[in-house]
mmCIF file of all heavy atoms in Angstrom:
data_model
loop_
_atom_site.group_PDB
_atom_site.id
_atom_site.type_symbol
_atom_site.label_atom_id
_atom_site.label_comp_id
_atom_site.label_asym_id
_atom_site.label_seq_id
_atom_site.Cartn_x
_atom_site.Cartn_y
_atom_site.Cartn_z
ATOM 1 N N ILE B 26 -1.000 -4.000 -16.512
ATOM 2 C CA ILE B 26 -0.802 -3.222 -17.723
ATOM 3 C C ILE B 26 0.526 -3.673 -18.390
ATOM 4 O O ILE B 26 0.529 -3.845 -19.584
ATOM 5 C CB ILE B 26 -0.761 -1.706 -17.401
ATOM 6 C CG1 ILE B 26 -2.104 -1.204 -16.944
ATOM 7 C CG2 ILE B 26 -0.188 -0.916 -18.522
ATOM 8 C CD1 ILE B 26 -2.158 0.117 -16.405
ATOM 9 N N TYR B 27 1.547 -3.885 -17.561
ATOM 10 C CA TYR B 27 2.774 -4.376 -18.093
ATOM 11 C C TYR B 27 2.640 -5.727 -18.741
ATOM 12 O O TYR B 27 3.204 -5.916 -19.879
ATOM 13 C CB TYR B 27 3.836 -4.460 -16.976
ATOM 14 C CG TYR B 27 5.074 -5.236 -17.332
ATOM 15 C CD1 TYR B 27 6.080 -4.609 -18.155
ATOM 16 C CD2 TYR B 27 5.324 -6.476 -16.851
ATOM 17 C CE1 TYR B 27 7.192 -5.250 -18.561
ATOM 18 C CE2 TYR B 27 6.442 -7.170 -17.182
ATOM 19 C CZ TYR B 27 7.334 -6.564 -17.992
ATOM 20 O OH TYR B 27 8.537 -7.250 -18.393
ATOM 21 N N GLN B 28 1.926 -6.648 -18.176
ATOM 22 C CA GLN B 28 1.746 -8.012 -18.688
ATOM 23 C C GLN B 28 1.067 -7.973 -20.059
ATOM 24 O O GLN B 28 1.421 -8.688 -20.968
ATOM 25 C CB GLN B 28 0.974 -8.865 -17.733
ATOM 26 C CG GLN B 28 1.768 -9.269 -16.483
ATOM 27 C CD GLN B 28 2.987 -10.031 -16.755
ATOM 28 O OE1 GLN B 28 3.119 -10.616 -17.836
ATOM 29 N NE2 GLN B 28 3.986 -9.994 -15.859
ATOM 30 N N VAL B 29 -0.025 -7.091 -20.200
ATOM 31 C CA VAL B 29 -0.720 -7.012 -21.490
ATOM 32 C C VAL B 29 0.255 -6.454 -22.566
ATOM 33 O O VAL B 29 0.299 -6.968 -23.635
ATOM 34 C CB VAL B 29 -1.876 -6.048 -21.301
ATOM 35 C CG1 VAL B 29 -2.474 -5.614 -22.651
ATOM 36 C CG2 VAL B 29 -3.019 -6.762 -20.525
ATOM 37 N N ILE B 30 1.041 -5.422 -22.264
ATOM 38 C CA ILE B 30 1.897 -4.785 -23.269
ATOM 39 C C ILE B 30 3.047 -5.744 -23.638
ATOM 40 O O ILE B 30 3.381 -5.916 -24.800
ATOM 41 C CB ILE B 30 2.401 -3.453 -22.708
ATOM 42 C CG1 ILE B 30 1.250 -2.546 -22.447
ATOM 43 C CG2 ILE B 30 3.403 -2.859 -23.764
ATOM 44 C CD1 ILE B 30 1.679 -1.189 -21.845
ATOM 45 N N VAL B 31 3.648 -6.444 -22.563
ATOM 46 C CA VAL B 31 4.837 -7.138 -22.879
ATOM 47 C C VAL B 31 4.604 -8.339 -23.743
ATOM 48 O O VAL B 31 5.534 -8.817 -24.418
ATOM 49 C CB VAL B 31 5.462 -7.609 -21.472
ATOM 50 C CG1 VAL B 31 4.820 -8.848 -21.007
ATOM 51 C CG2 VAL B 31 6.988 -7.715 -21.670
ATOM 52 N N ARG B 32 3.332 -8.796 -23.886
ATOM 53 C CA ARG B 32 3.063 -9.928 -24.744
ATOM 54 C C ARG B 32 3.379 -9.535 -26.190
ATOM 55 O O ARG B 32 3.841 -10.391 -26.938
ATOM 56 C CB ARG B 32 1.551 -10.254 -24.551
ATOM 57 C CG ARG B 32 1.223 -11.667 -24.180
ATOM 58 C CD ARG B 32 -0.251 -11.981 -24.115
ATOM 59 N NE ARG B 32 -0.888 -11.334 -22.968
ATOM 60 C CZ ARG B 32 -2.125 -11.013 -22.912
ATOM 61 N NH1 ARG B 32 -2.906 -11.127 -23.938
ATOM 62 N NH2 ARG B 32 -2.585 -10.454 -21.776
ATOM 63 N N LYS B 33 3.033 -8.347 -26.548
ATOM 64 C CA LYS B 33 3.230 -7.956 -27.940
ATOM 65 C C LYS B 33 4.545 -7.108 -28.130
ATOM 66 O O LYS B 33 4.981 -6.928 -29.261
ATOM 67 C CB LYS B 33 2.009 -7.124 -28.440
ATOM 68 C CG LYS B 33 0.759 -7.974 -28.413
ATOM 69 C CD LYS B 33 -0.285 -7.563 -29.532
ATOM 70 C CE LYS B 33 -1.409 -8.524 -29.540
ATOM 71 N NZ LYS B 33 -2.496 -8.123 -30.476
ATOM 72 N N HIS B 34 5.015 -6.553 -27.033
ATOM 73 C CA HIS B 34 6.216 -5.727 -27.091
ATOM 74 C C HIS B 34 7.131 -6.174 -26.005
ATOM 75 O O HIS B 34 7.268 -5.507 -24.911
ATOM 76 C CB HIS B 34 5.800 -4.279 -26.940
ATOM 77 C CG HIS B 34 4.743 -3.782 -27.914
ATOM 78 N ND1 HIS B 34 5.110 -3.167 -29.095
ATOM 79 C CD2 HIS B 34 3.448 -3.913 -27.979
ATOM 80 C CE1 HIS B 34 4.080 -2.890 -29.822
ATOM 81 N NE2 HIS B 34 3.002 -3.330 -29.165
ATOM 82 N N PRO B 35 7.846 -7.272 -26.222
ATOM 83 C CA PRO B 35 8.647 -7.878 -25.161
ATOM 84 C C PRO B 35 9.752 -7.048 -24.596
ATOM 85 O O PRO B 35 10.232 -7.450 -23.537
ATOM 86 C CB PRO B 35 9.202 -9.125 -25.926
ATOM 87 C CG PRO B 35 8.462 -9.310 -27.145
ATOM 88 C CD PRO B 35 8.023 -7.880 -27.535
ATOM 89 N N ASN B 36 10.107 -5.915 -25.231
ATOM 90 C CA ASN B 36 11.201 -5.113 -24.772
ATOM 91 C C ASN B 36 10.840 -4.096 -23.775
ATOM 92 O O ASN B 36 11.673 -3.493 -23.169
ATOM 93 C CB ASN B 36 11.930 -4.488 -25.940
ATOM 94 C CG ASN B 36 12.643 -5.470 -26.777
ATOM 95 O OD1 ASN B 36 13.191 -6.477 -26.260
ATOM 96 N ND2 ASN B 36 12.620 -5.292 -28.030
ATOM 97 N N ILE B 37 9.547 -3.870 -23.618
ATOM 98 C CA ILE B 37 9.115 -2.775 -22.665
ATOM 99 C C ILE B 37 9.479 -3.212 -21.251
ATOM 100 O O ILE B 37 9.481 -4.373 -20.968
ATOM 101 C CB ILE B 37 7.607 -2.455 -22.730
ATOM 102 C CG1 ILE B 37 7.356 -1.048 -22.205
ATOM 103 C CG2 ILE B 37 6.772 -3.549 -22.034
ATOM 104 C CD1 ILE B 37 5.962 -0.566 -22.458
ATOM 105 N N SER B 38 9.822 -2.190 -20.440
ATOM 106 C CA SER B 38 10.231 -2.497 -19.068
ATOM 107 C C SER B 38 9.264 -1.988 -18.083
ATOM 108 O O SER B 38 8.530 -1.011 -18.355
ATOM 109 C CB SER B 38 11.568 -1.944 -18.787
ATOM 110 O OG SER B 38 11.424 -0.500 -18.645
ATOM 111 N N ARG B 39 9.172 -2.567 -16.993
ATOM 112 C CA ARG B 39 8.308 -2.155 -15.846
ATOM 113 C C ARG B 39 8.510 -0.699 -15.526
ATOM 114 O O ARG B 39 7.596 0.083 -15.316
ATOM 115 C CB ARG B 39 8.466 -3.015 -14.652
ATOM 116 C CG ARG B 39 7.769 -4.325 -14.702
ATOM 117 C CD ARG B 39 7.890 -5.062 -13.296
ATOM 118 N NE ARG B 39 7.200 -6.361 -13.454
ATOM 119 C CZ ARG B 39 7.708 -7.479 -14.028
ATOM 120 N NH1 ARG B 39 8.937 -7.364 -14.500
ATOM 121 N NH2 ARG B 39 7.043 -8.549 -14.108
ATOM 122 N N GLY B 40 9.783 -0.294 -15.482
ATOM 123 C CA GLY B 40 10.112 0.995 -15.094
ATOM 124 C C GLY B 40 9.394 2.063 -16.035
ATOM 125 O O GLY B 40 8.858 3.095 -15.592
ATOM 126 N N THR B 41 9.389 1.742 -17.325
ATOM 127 C CA THR B 41 8.748 2.582 -18.260
ATOM 128 C C THR B 41 7.198 2.665 -18.033
ATOM 129 O O THR B 41 6.578 3.706 -18.103
ATOM 130 C CB THR B 41 9.034 2.059 -19.678
ATOM 131 O OG1 THR B 41 10.438 2.187 -19.903
ATOM 132 C CG2 THR B 41 8.313 2.941 -20.757
ATOM 133 N N VAL B 42 6.614 1.481 -17.731
ATOM 134 C CA VAL B 42 5.168 1.464 -17.411
ATOM 135 C C VAL B 42 4.906 2.399 -16.232
ATOM 136 O O VAL B 42 3.992 3.191 -16.292
ATOM 137 C CB VAL B 42 4.710 -0.016 -17.193
ATOM 138 C CG1 VAL B 42 3.304 0.016 -16.675
ATOM 139 C CG2 VAL B 42 4.847 -0.805 -18.470
ATOM 140 N N TYR B 43 5.675 2.241 -15.216
ATOM 141 C CA TYR B 43 5.454 2.988 -13.965
ATOM 142 C C TYR B 43 5.640 4.504 -14.258
ATOM 143 O O TYR B 43 4.914 5.314 -13.827
ATOM 144 C CB TYR B 43 6.391 2.537 -12.878
ATOM 145 C CG TYR B 43 5.941 1.356 -12.089
ATOM 146 C CD1 TYR B 43 6.390 0.132 -12.294
ATOM 147 C CD2 TYR B 43 5.019 1.576 -11.092
ATOM 148 C CE1 TYR B 43 5.889 -0.993 -11.643
ATOM 149 C CE2 TYR B 43 4.531 0.468 -10.311
ATOM 150 C CZ TYR B 43 4.975 -0.787 -10.637
ATOM 151 O OH TYR B 43 4.529 -1.857 -9.941
ATOM 152 N N ARG B 44 6.663 4.835 -15.003
ATOM 153 C CA ARG B 44 6.979 6.264 -15.323
ATOM 154 C C ARG B 44 5.812 6.837 -16.167
ATOM 155 O O ARG B 44 5.323 7.906 -15.895
ATOM 156 C CB ARG B 44 8.253 6.370 -16.050
ATOM 157 C CG ARG B 44 9.430 6.639 -15.152
ATOM 158 C CD ARG B 44 10.722 6.888 -15.840
ATOM 159 N NE ARG B 44 11.274 5.626 -16.372
ATOM 160 C CZ ARG B 44 12.522 5.154 -16.210
ATOM 161 N NH1 ARG B 44 13.340 5.788 -15.373
ATOM 162 N NH2 ARG B 44 12.880 4.014 -16.723
ATOM 163 N N ASN B 45 5.283 6.076 -17.138
ATOM 164 C CA ASN B 45 4.237 6.580 -17.941
ATOM 165 C C ASN B 45 2.905 6.685 -17.131
ATOM 166 O O ASN B 45 2.114 7.692 -17.319
ATOM 167 C CB ASN B 45 4.033 5.704 -19.196
ATOM 168 C CG ASN B 45 4.973 6.131 -20.274
ATOM 169 O OD1 ASN B 45 4.912 7.224 -20.770
ATOM 170 N ND2 ASN B 45 5.883 5.239 -20.710
ATOM 171 N N LEU B 46 2.676 5.735 -16.294
ATOM 172 C CA LEU B 46 1.473 5.865 -15.489
ATOM 173 C C LEU B 46 1.529 7.022 -14.585
ATOM 174 O O LEU B 46 0.504 7.781 -14.392
ATOM 175 C CB LEU B 46 1.336 4.547 -14.594
ATOM 176 C CG LEU B 46 0.839 3.299 -15.358
ATOM 177 C CD1 LEU B 46 0.957 2.067 -14.546
ATOM 178 C CD2 LEU B 46 -0.622 3.518 -15.891
ATOM 179 N N HIS B 47 2.793 7.313 -14.077
ATOM 180 C CA HIS B 47 2.955 8.524 -13.241
ATOM 181 C C HIS B 47 2.662 9.874 -14.085
ATOM 182 O O HIS B 47 1.927 10.718 -13.587
ATOM 183 C CB HIS B 47 4.370 8.572 -12.744
ATOM 184 C CG HIS B 47 4.676 9.766 -11.965
ATOM 185 N ND1 HIS B 47 5.256 10.877 -12.455
ATOM 186 C CD2 HIS B 47 4.454 10.079 -10.626
ATOM 187 C CE1 HIS B 47 5.344 11.829 -11.459
ATOM 188 N NE2 HIS B 47 4.936 11.310 -10.381
ATOM 189 N N ASN B 48 3.219 9.900 -15.260
ATOM 190 C CA ASN B 48 2.962 11.049 -16.100
ATOM 191 C C ASN B 48 1.496 11.210 -16.480
ATOM 192 O O ASN B 48 0.933 12.359 -16.421
ATOM 193 C CB ASN B 48 3.749 10.920 -17.431
ATOM 194 C CG ASN B 48 5.268 11.104 -17.199
ATOM 195 O OD1 ASN B 48 5.707 11.577 -16.105
ATOM 196 N ND2 ASN B 48 6.004 10.689 -18.193
#
Side-chain angles (χ1 to χ4, degrees):
Chain B
I26 291 170
Y27 168 75
Q28 288 300 339
V29 164
I30 299 175
V31 84
R32 236 182 288 154
K33 300 212 172 173
H34 304 265
N36 291 323
I37 200 169
S38 74
R39 280 185 181 78
T41 298
V42 171
Y43 276 100
R44 270 184 285 235
N45 276 298
L46 285 171
H47 178 265
N48 290 345

